[in-house]
């Protein structure tokens, strides 16, 4: 099946079905095997010439994993996708593709914590990193040094949900001969396709919306054939963070409902954020889908919708106030991660890290919620009771 011309739902439900290959099975089977055997040594040698497109070993290629990869490549409008055993495996592999000792990486505004920790970790290999607090293009350009090789970003940004102009950043990067990586987990390929704006690599944690059921951990990397040809033989095969077939099978199952789930998350999150915006205990709501969001106009030019993760800031920004709200919530459970069927709440304020929050532009009164698939009125009720 040719993905060109297929819409999101067609890609998610039917791309890669290949009924005649799998005896008409409506759900493709799980190839739970580590290796593939060959009829003779000659056909094995032939297959080894192109490990990317033949089945030899699970750390390279597997038919079950490949179905999910085809779907994600088509959804992101990229040429190729590889799936990893976690979002961080995809992120670290993507980053290492573009840098060597002596190089410098620039990251933009608030990004996922472990990605920042990874930038610090690779300092021991002589790779330096600067994070700029701003999403502004001039500030990004000013921070580029002669040894900068790569710009790493999220849009919307982690916790604060500010947006970065993707087309302009990609253009700036091309001008200075830099590569660009975006973590597109928040928007999912349903709501934002950064490759179309000239970004080089899109990474996802599929542990969030793409899997959607809080039952798998995985990552994806989508890019051009040219870049993937390098990653497959180096970072993918050598760091070895390949996605297992059973996880890929669950991922394909999750993908079948991704467009429907994202529509529901978007509708509920909009209503929840409207409710929070008018609440007297709330100082500010950070949700890119709100007209009052400072980047709302930019969002309209590069996003097709908004997912269900947002933050709000209490007027009373003490740890006690934050803790009271979190402990009073019943529908929203306390836990890491997000993007599943269940609603979750958390605060970056742990009671002992106020200074670190302020230097990261995060209000100590911030609460982050992941709006799940429960009845929206139940979620608003829950917030109303907790926000006294
Ligand atoms: C969770 C997350 C990751 C890391 O993904 P894992 O699958 O947990 O390794 C990366 N980026 C963002 C934005 C995330 O929320």
């Amino acid at each position: 099946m040719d993905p060109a011309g297929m819409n999101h739902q067609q890609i998610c439900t039917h791309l890669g079905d290949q009924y005649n290959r799998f005896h008409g099975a409506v759900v493709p089977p799980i190839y739970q095997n580590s290796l593939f055997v060959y009829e003779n040594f000659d056909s094995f040698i032939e297959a080894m010439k192109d490990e990317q497109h033949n089945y030899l070993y699970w750390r390279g290629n597997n038919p079950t994993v490949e179905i999910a990869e085809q779907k994600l490549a088509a959804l992101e409008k990229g040429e190729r996708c590889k799936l990893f055993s976690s979002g961080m495996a995809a992120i670290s592999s993507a980053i290492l593709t573009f840098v060597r000792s002596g190089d410098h990486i620039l990251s933009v505004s608030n990004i996922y914590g472990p990605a920042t920790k990874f930038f610090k970790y690779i300092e021991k290999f002589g790779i330096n990193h600067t994070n700029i607090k701003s999403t502004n293009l001039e500030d990004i350009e000013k921070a580029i040094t002669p040894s900068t090789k790569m710009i790493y970003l999220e849009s919307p940004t982690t916790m604060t949900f500010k947006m970065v102009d993707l087309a302009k950043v990609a253009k700036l990067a091309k001008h200075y001969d830099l590569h660009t990586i975006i973590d597109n987990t928040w928007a999912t390929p349903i709501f934002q396709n950064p490759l179309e704006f000239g970004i080089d690599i899109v990474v996802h944690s599929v542990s969030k919306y793409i899997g959607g059921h809080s039952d798998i951990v995985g990552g994806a990397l989508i890019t051009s054939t040219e870049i993937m040809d390098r990653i497959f033989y180096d970072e993918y095969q050598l760091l070895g963070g390949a996605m297992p077939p059973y996880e890929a099978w669950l991922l394909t199952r999750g993908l079948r409902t991704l467009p429907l789930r994202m529509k529901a998350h978007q509708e509920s999150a909009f209503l929840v954020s409207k409710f929070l915006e008018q609440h007297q205990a709330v100082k500010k709501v950070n949700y890119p889908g709100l007209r009052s969001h400072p980047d709302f106009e930019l969002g309209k030019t590069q996003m097709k919708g908004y997912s269900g993760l947002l933050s709000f800031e209490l007027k009373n920004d003490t740890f006690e106030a934050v803790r009271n709200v979190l402990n009073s919530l019943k529908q929203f459970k306390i836990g890491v991660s997000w993007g599943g069927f269940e609603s979750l709440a958390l605060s970056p304020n742990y009671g002992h890290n106020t200074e670190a929050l302020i230097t990261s532009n995060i209000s100590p009164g911030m609460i982050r919620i992941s709006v799940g698939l429960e009845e929206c009125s139940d979620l608003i009720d829950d917030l109303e009771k907790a926000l006294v």
Side-chain angles (χ1 to χ4, degrees):
M1 220 180 285
D2 178 12
M6 291 177 92
N7 62 34
H8 288 155
Q9 195 59 49
Q10 286 166 342
I11 293 167
C12 286
T13 47
H14 291 306
L15 179 66
D17 279 345
Q18 297 186 280
Y19 293 127
N20 36 12
R21 187 175 169 202
F22 303 127
H23 304 282
V26 69
V27 174
I30 309 175
Y31 280 79
Q32 189 71 27
N33 50 299
S34 63
L35 71 120
F36 294 82
V37 295
Y38 282 78
E39 251 169 59
N40 54 52
F41 194 38
D42 307 77
S43 58
F44 172 78
I45 290 170
E46 199 49 39
M48 279 293 281
K49 283 185 191 156
D50 184 9
E51 280 187 62
Q52 268 198 90
H53 300 101
N54 288 299
Y55 304 125
L56 289 139
Y57 189 53
W58 158 339
R59 183 156 44 72
N61 241 341
N62 172 287
T64 309
V65 180
E66 206 171 44
I67 292 171
E69 288 173 344
Q70 276 175 19
K71 287 181 191 285
L72 282 168
L75 288 173
E76 272 298 6
K77 304 181 199 304
E79 289 173 338
R80 300 284 307 283
C81 167
K82 282 310 282 179
L83 284 167
F84 292 74
S85 53
S86 72
M88 276 313 294
I91 288 170
S92 51
S93 293
I95 291 167
L96 291 176
T97 304
F98 291 136
V99 288
R100 62 179 63 222
S101 175
D103 289 348
H104 172 253
I105 300 168
L106 187 60
S107 69
V108 181
S109 192
N110 292 77
I111 57 168
Y112 182 63
T116 301
K117 282 193 190 149
F118 185 71
F119 290 132
K120 294 214 169 79
Y121 171 73
I122 56 178
E123 277 173 11
K124 71 176 184 180
F125 302 114
I127 298 159
N128 293 310
H129 162 244
T130 310
N131 174 258
I132 51 159
K133 292 296 164 222
S134 156
T135 52
N136 184 292
L137 205 74
E138 283 103 70
D139 295 330
I140 297 173
E141 183 162 15
K142 263 188 248 151
I144 295 172
T145 74
S147 52
T148 307
K149 287 283 149 47
M150 191 188 101
I151 300 177
Y152 184 92
L153 66 133
E154 276 176 42
S155 179
T157 55
T158 279
M159 292 291 178
T160 47
F161 304 100
K162 297 197 178 89
M163 283 182 256
V164 183
D165 190 320
L166 301 184
K168 288 198 178 139
V169 167
K171 198 167 158 218
L172 181 77
K174 295 232 154 61
H175 178 75
Y176 287 95
D177 203 17
L178 316 178
H179 281 107
T180 42
I181 301 177
I182 187 170
D183 181 334
N184 201 31
T185 305
W186 189 89
T188 80
I190 304 299
F191 291 150
Q192 180 168 267
N193 298 128
L195 299 176
E196 289 194 313
F197 296 95
I199 301 289
D200 293 312
I201 297 187
V202 168
V203 291
H204 284 283
S205 166
V206 305
S207 324
K208 315 292 163 53
Y209 288 118
I210 294 179
H213 294 73
S214 301
D215 52 9
I216 57 167
V217 169
L221 188 158
I222 300 111
T223 187
S224 63
T225 299
E226 188 193 342
I227 293 174
M228 190 61 86
D229 282 347
R230 286 166 49 194
I231 294 177
F232 179 82
Y233 287 104
D234 291 340
E235 289 76 18
Y236 190 74
Q237 294 253 52
L238 303 182
L239 299 178
M243 176 175 277
Y246 182 59
E247 265 64 18
W249 186 84
L250 283 172
L251 174 59
T252 296
R253 178 181 157 117
L255 277 172
R256 293 191 185 104
T257 56
L258 180 65
L260 293 170
R261 286 187 286 108
M262 292 321 293
K263 196 163 165 256
H265 285 297
Q266 163 162 260
E267 279 168 16
S268 285
F270 182 70
L271 295 175
V272 167
S273 63
K274 286 299 258 186
F275 163 78
L276 289 168
E277 201 173 34
Q278 55 72 45
H279 198 283
Q280 83 240 7
V282 175
K283 188 170 77 185
K284 190 175 171 208
V285 180
N286 303 303
Y287 184 59
L290 283 176
R291 206 160 272 284
S292 58
H293 190 285
D295 299 326
F296 185 74
E297 290 304 317
L298 171 62
K300 283 205 293 195
T301 67
Q302 59 188 29
M303 302 198 70
K304 291 169 232 155
Y306 306 94
S307 70
L309 184 76
L310 59 113
S311 68
F312 60 96
E313 298 166 22
L314 298 176
K315 279 188 189 147
N316 177 353
D317 65 359
T318 60
F319 173 67
E320 285 66 35
V322 163
R323 185 178 56 189
N324 278 342
V325 171
L326 289 175
N327 286 340
S328 307
L329 289 166
K330 301 247 169 355
Q331 296 273 333
F332 288 87
K333 303 296 175 195
I334 296 172
V336 295
S337 195
W338 48 278
F341 60 92
E342 77 287 19
S343 290
L344 294 168
L346 212 57
S347 172
N349 186 352
Y350 295 165
H352 54 71
N353 60 341
T354 316
E355 269 172 44
L357 291 177
I358 290 166
T359 55
S360 312
N361 291 336
I362 290 175
S363 159
M366 183 181 279
I367 292 176
R368 185 190 78 172
I369 56 174
S370 176
V371 177
L373 299 173
E374 299 90 343
E375 203 56 66
C376 185
S377 54
D378 290 343
L379 298 178
I380 290 176
D381 258 11
D382 198 27
L383 286 163
E384 180 136 53
K385 289 195 184 103
L387 285 167
V388 278

